[in-house]
Amino acid sequence: MNELTISLKAGDKIPLYEQIYSYIKEEIRKGVIPSGEKLPSTRALCRHLDVSRSTVELAYEQLLSEGYIEAQPYRGYFVSDIEGLCQFSGSGSTEEKRERKTQKQYRYDFTPSGVDLKSFPYNAWRKLSKECLTDDRAELFRLGCPQGEYGLRSAISSYLHQARGVNCVPDQIIVGAGNDYLLMLLCSVLGQGHKVALENPTYRQAYRLFANLSYDVHTVDMDSKGMRVDRLRASGADIAFVMPSHQYPLGTVMPIRRRIELLRWAEEEEGRYIIEDDYDSEFRYKGKPIPALQGYDASGKVIYIGTFSKSIAPAIRMSYMVLPEPVCRMYRERCGFLSSTVSKVDQMILQKFIEEGYYERHLNKTRALYKSRHDTLLSALRDVESDIRISGENAGVHLLLHFRDGRSEEELIQRAAEKGVKVYGLSEYYVDGKEKAGETVILLGYANMNEEKIRQAVKLLGEAWEKET
Amino acid sequence: MNELTISLKAGDKIPLYEQIYSYIKEEIRKGVIPSGEKLPSTRALCRHLDVSRSTVELAYEQLLSEGYIEAQPYRGYFVSDIEGLCQFSGSGSTEEKRERKTQKQYRYDFTPSGVDLKSFPYNAWRKLSKECLTDDRAELFRLGCPQGEYGLRSAISSYLHQARGVNCVPDQIIVGAGNDYLLMLLCSVLGQGHKVALENPTYRQAYRLFANLSYDVHTVDMDSKGMRVDRLRASGADIAFVMPSHQYPLGTVMPIRRRIELLRWAEEEEGRYIIEDDYDSEFRYKGKPIPALQGYDASGKVIYIGTFSKSIAPAIRMSYMVLPEPVCRMYRERCGFLSSTVSKVDQMILQKFIEEGYYERHLNKTRALYKSRHDTLLSALRDVESDIRISGENAGVHLLLHFRDGRSEEELIQRAAEKGVKVYGLSEYYVDGKEKAGETVILLGYANMNEEKIRQAVKLLGEAWEKET
């Protein structure tokens, strides 16, 4: 080939070399210039197109580096053998699909996973965030410690010691982007081949996660004190996932004796561990918070997981886990090289938030807020129907209604829905096997409903669930 | 037991009920009040201590809920059987250990993983961050979409299409807290039992990660065009992890023909995938960026991974992957329930950063900056020694020096260190098997060294590596 006539647009915003490159590339892709064909020399082409030689050279270099042409010493440039290229020319304009689930709209939603976001401390967060970004601190954008910044871990460790009775040093703490991530990381730390036992009913997200990570997952029945240790032992599991301070969804508080039994079980064999998910221990309306199981552990058996999702806001994506010394060593060996999942700026904001007392004030404020909603809900429910038993009412941000009149969960949910009120059934928290026979249990979460709405919604529930006489 | 004498401090900031609770708890733990012992009635105790009855009731309730005591109907409160409790009373004041690695200090560090943080767009980031937090938007703190916010994914998809030739819609994009996390997630999506092939030498972080997640990991030799597809086929792997646009650490650009061979290999069997890590494609100093392999994929075989760590800052922890349709479906089925790992505020800042043109300007600025450092380094090296061959100089933020004079990597690194200059050997990037015999390769990264420092450091390297005559 001696000539290549390319209509170049000189005033175009696409540089000349790129126009040449694109033209030749397209011709090669379309097969117009076949493989093996010799391209004009850069000298010939620049004269022919009336452009500078370096322009043509740049175009050829680009074609060379993408492999469309090859340079043969002393001979020139030849089109490469790119047989099959056409079929790989890209899937073209994939049509933009954007699915939006069409969901029924409810006037009142008693979601158990709600959080009151109106009380989010916007001013404090804004102020701290501004402070953190004020100086042009390069340090803030350099890759940080894989475990999370020392300052934040130190603040968390003090908080945990005072508020939750957790014994730990900052070196045992791993900060991560949410509980899901931390459980994934933990599975990498512990390695394959474990058998995990969860309470039944339980936090299904954790169950799915373990199952997904190819762990052998079992559920163990609970009694009024929490996970039954005899059943746990019989299950053959070596890891127990429990929520001793406030079981989700039942709201059970594990008494000290069961805690000790659980710790004993873990001590019986090397490699047994207890994962304590302390997800919403901040909210308790009677007495002081129940201390964490971790505080009783003298043998390095408890892996403690906590989160700021419930206590600050779900979208800030910051959780932490406290590893006992043996697991800490495994973490450093196997996963110490993995980068942190939380931005350093966010970590610094949170550290200041805790250290400067904002966190404590925020907790006290939301605790009072939730307590008031909790009291409103309880008193409104008392006015409605007398044969509903209420449980799980001392802590957390939801309670349970037990019906023994033979009506099914579906029926109760459906009737509430007809009045525009969304309520939740307990059965969805059971992993295998159904809930207790002879009883239907409905969950009501009250974190993101104000008192007025709660009263209105409960009134509607009363109408919805009224028995036909 | 009829009497419990507790010295209460009325003016204390610890509430009275808590003082009573703590006292009784400690007495039980110490064994002073034995199990089975009946506690005084609340009425008797409140009279004895001269406090209100509700104070005593609150203390007893706390003890009850923690399981230290039990209530027996019509009989009163009895101390529980908590045999073995003492040994669980916590590990006490674990000594605070804080290890700080003592590292040799270098005056000049040619780290290949550096980023220039002085050029971080502090003002823009601060401004956008302020804007995002300005209104009290509860929406910003509600749990977001697991894949990342639609707006950000949309901005990334446009950017990828224009800048990298990647064909995708926002629904195929998953935003995550760093590449390590995304690879962990991907392994969960793909499930167990895969055999992954990586280039050799490679990005060792990825190798360790796959190995850790119990994948069968292999390395496949490279030639001048990248991973050898014949060797890949022979390895029996079903997943190939490659960096076609700029291989790390060798800097190889995979030509179009090899790309097609690779895509062919993937198409030969169902379930084969190519992971394209496009980690630093933004930086190329000759011609236009090499389009991504993903753009040539018409069969849904390429999983594309990109990051803002290199192009903005390592500490912001935001990466993304583009899943082909079949993998997308697997993601939704197996991992769609996992919460996002990036805070919504950060996602929104980044979205505005891209949409309002800051990202493009920032890229152009850093590209020019790195190009200037790159040119300075090249010209400084030319003045030093004539028998060093340089490669990988067209892209990225590091280049390679090839020595053929028989001196070992250790010797070259050691001699540089004696002059206060830290350089890196290629051998640490090889996973198994050593590098080519007869050649020693040193890596020099220049992203976080200014021109003046580069000149000084290269002068020292010249002295360090001068041959004794």
Side-chain angles (χ1 to χ4, degrees):
Chain A
M1 173 180 288
N2 294 317
E3 241 173 44
L4 263 178
T5 306
I6 309 172
S7 57
L8 297 174
K9 295 168 199 138
D12 204 280
K13 64 174 180 174
I14 301 169
L16 287 176
Y17 92 88
E18 198 175 326
Q19 295 182 39
I20 299 171
Y21 150 81
S22 299
Y23 177 87
I24 300 177
K25 186 172 93 169
E26 273 318 301
E27 297 290 285
I28 295 173
R29 286 169 80 137
K30 284 187 268 173
V32 179
I33 315 180
S35 83
E37 181 86 14
K38 185 175 184 295
L39 289 189
S41 69
T42 52
R43 181 194 305 249
L45 189 60
C46 74
R47 251 191 265 131
H48 181 68
L49 296 177
D50 195 20
V51 296
S52 80
R53 187 155 169 196
S54 65
T55 300
V56 175
E57 279 171 353
L58 213 50
Y60 277 26
E61 269 175 31
Q62 185 71 26
L63 290 165
L64 263 176
S65 63
E66 291 185 21
Y68 287 97
I69 61 173
E70 282 161 16
Q72 294 187 10
Y74 310 112
R75 294 193 53 217
Y77 295 98
F78 293 82
V79 174
S80 308
D81 176 13
I82 50 162
E83 192 208 339
L85 177 63
C86 298
Q87 67 175 108
F88 295 108
S89 58
S91 51
S93 62
T94 323
E95 215 171 295
E96 190 147 327
K97 290 166 289 178
R98 201 177 155 179
E99 284 165 51
R100 286 267 171 234
K101 278 178 214 146
T102 49
Q103 285 185 321
K104 184 171 173 3
Q105 289 298 313
Y106 290 92
R107 280 178 64 204
Y108 306 97
D109 186 350
F110 279 108
T111 172
S113 57
V115 169
D116 183 83
L117 290 170
K118 288 205 192 66
S119 64
F120 181 81
Y122 292 94
N123 288 329
W125 203 261
R126 201 152 43 216
K127 175 177 162 281
L128 296 174
S129 139
K130 202 177 142 198
E131 274 174 31
C132 289
L133 286 166
T134 290
D135 315 310
D136 293 2
R137 270 179 290 196
E139 205 38 61
L140 213 52
F141 293 94
R142 206 179 297 283
L143 196 58
C145 174
Q147 287 186 236
E149 296 310 293
Y150 190 86
L152 173 61
R153 287 186 282 125
S154 187
I156 292 174
S157 129
S158 308
Y159 164 74
L160 285 179
H161 184 71
Q162 285 163 35
R164 307 292 305 123
V166 169
N167 286 309
C168 67
V169 292
D171 280 352
Q172 289 173 270
I173 297 179
I174 320 273
V175 175
N179 281 22
D180 291 350
Y181 168 71
L182 287 177
L183 287 180
M184 282 169 81
L185 179 64
L186 188 57
C187 289
S188 284
V189 170
L190 297 172
Q192 289 293 309
H194 292 286
K195 199 166 178 178
V196 185
L198 294 99
E199 293 152 321
N200 196 20
T202 190
Y203 178 55
R204 290 200 60 146
Q205 187 93 343
Y207 183 90
R208 289 185 66 180
L209 207 138
F210 286 120
N212 242 44
L213 294 166
S214 312
Y215 270 29
D216 194 3
V217 195
H218 289 255
T219 53
V220 169
D221 287 339
M222 296 174 66
D223 57 20
S224 65
K225 289 172 176 148
M227 183 183 269
R228 287 184 54 173
V229 178
D230 54 337
R231 296 277 173 94
L232 169 62
R233 194 169 277 119
S235 76
D238 59 347
I239 295 173
F241 178 91
V242 291
M243 297 169 267
S245 300
H246 185 234
Q247 206 271 345
Y248 190 80
L250 293 184
T252 314
V253 175
M254 190 184 284
I256 189 75
R257 191 174 169 168
R258 181 63 54 88
R259 291 176 187 225
I260 291 168
E261 278 179 53
L262 203 56
L263 285 166
R264 279 256 172 86
W265 163 85
E267 287 183 328
E268 277 164 16
E269 276 187 38
E270 209 176 323
R272 281 190 181 166
Y273 292 105
I274 300 164
I275 302 174
E276 174 178 24
D277 184 358
D278 205 28
Y279 69 105
D280 78 347
S281 54
E282 290 82 5
F283 305 117
R284 192 171 157 75
Y285 312 114
K286 268 189 156 176
K288 337 189 292 137
I290 310 292
L293 174 60
Q294 199 269 6
Y296 300 99
D297 172 27
S299 319
K301 288 297 187 178
V302 177
I303 295 157
Y304 177 93
I305 296 189
T307 179
F308 294 101
S309 283
K310 283 268 169 189
S311 57
I312 302 182
I316 67 163
R317 312 311 301 138
M318 280 188 264
S319 294
Y320 49 88
M321 61 183 174
V322 180
L323 302 178
E325 209 32 71
V327 183
C328 235
R329 278 194 297 274
M330 285 154 77
Y331 161 77
R332 287 201 195 96
E333 224 168 85
R334 297 184 187 168
C335 297
F337 67 97
L338 295 170
S339 307
S340 167
T341 47
V342 185
S343 108
K344 236 166 160 179
V345 178
D346 291 350
Q347 292 188 50
M348 196 185 243
I349 296 174
L350 182 58
Q351 181 187 335
K352 282 172 177 261
F353 192 74
I354 300 173
E355 285 177 352
E356 298 177 15
Y358 294 106
Y359 187 49
E360 200 184 330
R361 285 199 288 281
H362 174 66
L363 280 182
N364 289 335
K365 187 176 145 195
T366 42
R367 198 180 288 125
L369 184 82
Y370 291 159
K371 168 132 182 42
S372 152
R373 292 177 183 181
H374 160 272
D375 294 351
T376 304
L377 179 58
L378 270 184
S379 90
L381 283 169
R382 269 190 216 109
D383 296 341
V384 168
E385 250 195 285
S386 55
D387 57 348
I388 304 173
R389 189 171 68 84
I390 295 168
S391 74
E393 77 277 21
N394 289 338
V397 291
H398 76 274
L399 45 77
L400 295 89
L401 305 183
H402 302 252
F403 293 80
R404 297 186 141 270
D405 54 17
R407 286 189 287 181
S408 73
E409 205 178 275
E410 293 72 28
E411 185 186 344
L412 293 167
I413 292 173
Q414 180 52 37
R415 280 168 175 258
E418 282 160 13
K419 295 281 183 184
V421 185
K422 189 164 167 97
V423 299
Y424 297 77
L426 182 63
S427 68
E428 63 180 273
Y429 296 90
Y430 279 90
V431 174
D432 44 46
K434 270 292 200 182
E435 58 201 296
K436 253 196 291 183
E439 200 180 59
T440 300
V441 184
I442 295 290
L443 270 73
L444 299 184
Y446 47 82
N448 58 3
M449 269 212 236
N450 64 31
E451 285 76 356
E452 187 49 33
K453 280 194 130 184
I454 289 174
R455 272 187 289 264
Q456 290 163 358
V458 171
K459 195 160 167 285
L460 290 169
L461 284 181
E463 292 164 25
W465 292 338
E466 203 170 11
K467 294 209 194 78
E468 287 99 20
T469 43
Chain B
M1 176 180 289
N2 294 317
E3 239 174 50
L4 263 179
T5 306
I6 308 172
S7 57
L8 298 173
K9 293 170 199 135
D12 204 280
K13 64 176 180 172
I14 301 168
L16 286 175
Y17 92 87
E18 199 175 325
Q19 295 182 40
I20 299 171
Y21 149 79
S22 298
Y23 178 86
I24 299 177
K25 186 172 90 168
E26 275 315 302
E27 296 290 286
I28 295 173
R29 286 169 81 141
K30 285 188 267 175
V32 178
I33 316 181
S35 84
E37 181 85 15
K38 185 177 185 291
L39 289 189
S41 69
T42 53
R43 180 192 304 252
L45 189 60
C46 76
R47 249 190 269 132
H48 181 69
L49 296 178
D50 195 18
V51 295
S52 79
R53 188 156 170 191
S54 66
T55 299
V56 175
E57 279 171 353
L58 213 50
Y60 277 26
E61 270 176 31
Q62 185 71 27
L63 290 165
L64 263 176
S65 62
E66 290 185 22
Y68 286 97
I69 61 173
E70 281 161 16
Q72 294 186 10
Y74 309 112
R75 293 195 54 219
Y77 297 97
F78 293 82
V79 174
S80 308
D81 176 11
I82 49 161
E83 191 208 336
L85 176 62
C86 298
Q87 66 175 110
F88 294 107
S89 59
S91 51
S93 62
T94 321
E95 215 170 294
E96 190 147 326
K97 287 166 288 177
R98 200 175 157 183
E99 285 166 51
R100 287 264 170 236
K101 280 177 212 147
T102 47
Q103 285 183 321
K104 184 171 170 9
Q105 290 298 310
Y106 290 92
R107 280 178 64 203
Y108 306 97
D109 186 352
F110 279 108
T111 171
S113 57
V115 168
D116 183 85
L117 290 170
K118 290 207 189 66
S119 65
F120 181 82
Y122 292 93
N123 288 329
W125 204 260
R126 199 151 45 213
K127 174 177 162 281
L128 296 173
S129 138
K130 202 179 144 196
E131 274 174 34
C132 289
L133 286 166
T134 290
D135 315 311
D136 292 1
R137 271 179 290 198
E139 204 38 62
L140 211 53
F141 293 95
R142 207 179 296 282
L143 197 58
C145 173
Q147 287 187 237
E149 296 311 293
Y150 190 85
L152 174 60
R153 287 186 283 123
S154 189
I156 291 174
S157 130
S158 308
Y159 164 73
L160 285 179
H161 185 71
Q162 287 163 34
R164 307 292 306 123
V166 169
N167 286 308
C168 68
V169 293
D171 280 352
Q172 290 172 268
I173 297 179
I174 320 274
V175 175
N179 282 21
D180 291 350
Y181 168 71
L182 287 176
L183 288 179
M184 281 170 81
L185 178 64
L186 187 58
C187 289
S188 284
V189 170
L190 297 172
Q192 288 294 307
H194 292 287
K195 199 167 177 176
V196 184
L198 295 100
E199 294 151 321
N200 197 23
T202 190
Y203 178 54
R204 290 200 59 148
Q205 187 95 342
Y207 183 90
R208 287 185 68 178
L209 206 138
F210 287 121
N212 242 44
L213 294 165
S214 312
Y215 271 28
D216 194 2
V217 195
H218 289 256
T219 53
V220 168
D221 285 338
M222 299 175 65
D223 58 20
S224 65
K225 289 170 177 153
M227 184 183 268
R228 289 185 53 172
V229 178
D230 55 336
R231 296 278 174 93
L232 169 62
R233 194 169 279 117
S235 76
D238 59 348
I239 294 172
F241 178 91
V242 290
M243 296 168 268
S245 300
H246 185 234
Q247 206 271 343
Y248 190 80
L250 292 185
T252 314
V253 176
M254 191 184 283
I256 189 76
R257 191 172 170 174
R258 180 64 53 87
R259 291 176 186 226
I260 291 167
E261 278 179 54
L262 203 54
L263 286 165
R264 279 256 172 86
W265 163 85
E267 288 183 326
E268 277 163 17
E269 277 187 37
E270 210 176 320
R272 280 190 182 167
Y273 293 104
I274 298 164
I275 301 175
E276 175 179 23
D277 184 359
D278 206 26
Y279 71 103
D280 78 346
S281 53
E282 290 82 5
F283 304 116
R284 193 170 155 75
Y285 313 113
K286 268 188 156 177
K288 338 189 291 135
I290 310 292
L293 173 60
Q294 200 269 4
Y296 300 99
D297 172 28
S299 319
K301 288 297 188 179
V302 176
I303 295 156
Y304 177 92
I305 297 190
T307 180
F308 294 101
S309 284
K310 282 269 170 190
S311 57
I312 302 182
I316 68 165
R317 312 312 300 141
M318 281 189 264
S319 293
Y320 49 90
M321 59 182 176
V322 180
L323 301 179
E325 209 29 74
V327 183
C328 236
R329 279 194 297 275
M330 285 154 75
Y331 162 76
R332 286 200 195 96
E333 224 168 83
R334 297 183 188 169
C335 296
F337 68 95
L338 294 172
S339 307
S340 167
T341 46
V342 186
S343 109
K344 236 167 161 178
V345 178
D346 290 348
Q347 291 189 51
M348 196 183 243
I349 296 173
L350 182 58
Q351 181 187 335
K352 282 171 177 260
F353 191 74
I354 299 173
E355 284 177 353
E356 297 178 13
Y358 294 105
Y359 187 49
E360 202 184 329
R361 285 200 287 282
H362 174 67
L363 281 182
N364 290 334
K365 186 177 145 195
T366 42
R367 199 181 287 124
L369 184 80
Y370 292 159
K371 169 134 180 37
S372 153
R373 292 179 183 181
H374 160 272
D375 294 350
T376 304
L377 179 58
L378 270 183
S379 90
L381 283 169
R382 269 188 216 109
D383 296 341
V384 167
E385 248 195 289
S386 53
D387 57 346
I388 304 173
R389 190 171 68 84
I390 295 168
S391 75
E393 76 277 23
N394 289 337
V397 290
H398 76 273
L399 45 76
L400 297 88
L401 305 183
H402 302 253
F403 293 79
R404 296 184 142 273
D405 54 16
R407 285 189 288 181
S408 72
E409 206 178 275
E410 292 72 27
E411 184 185 346
L412 293 166
I413 292 173
Q414 180 54 37
R415 278 167 176 259
E418 281 161 12
K419 295 280 182 185
V421 185
K422 190 166 166 96
V423 298
Y424 296 79
L426 181 63
S427 68
E428 64 180 272
Y429 296 90
Y430 280 90
V431 174
D432 43 45
K434 269 294 197 179
E435 58 200 296
K436 254 195 290 184
E439 202 182 56
T440 300
V441 184
I442 294 291
L443 272 74
L444 298 185
Y446 47 82
N448 58 3
M449 267 210 239
N450 65 30
E451 286 76 356
E452 186 49 33
K453 278 193 132 185
I454 290 174
R455 272 187 289 265
Q456 289 163 358
V458 171
K459 194 161 167 286
L460 290 169
L461 284 181
E463 291 166 23
W465 292 338
E466 203 172 8
K467 290 205 195 85
E468 285 100 21
T469 44

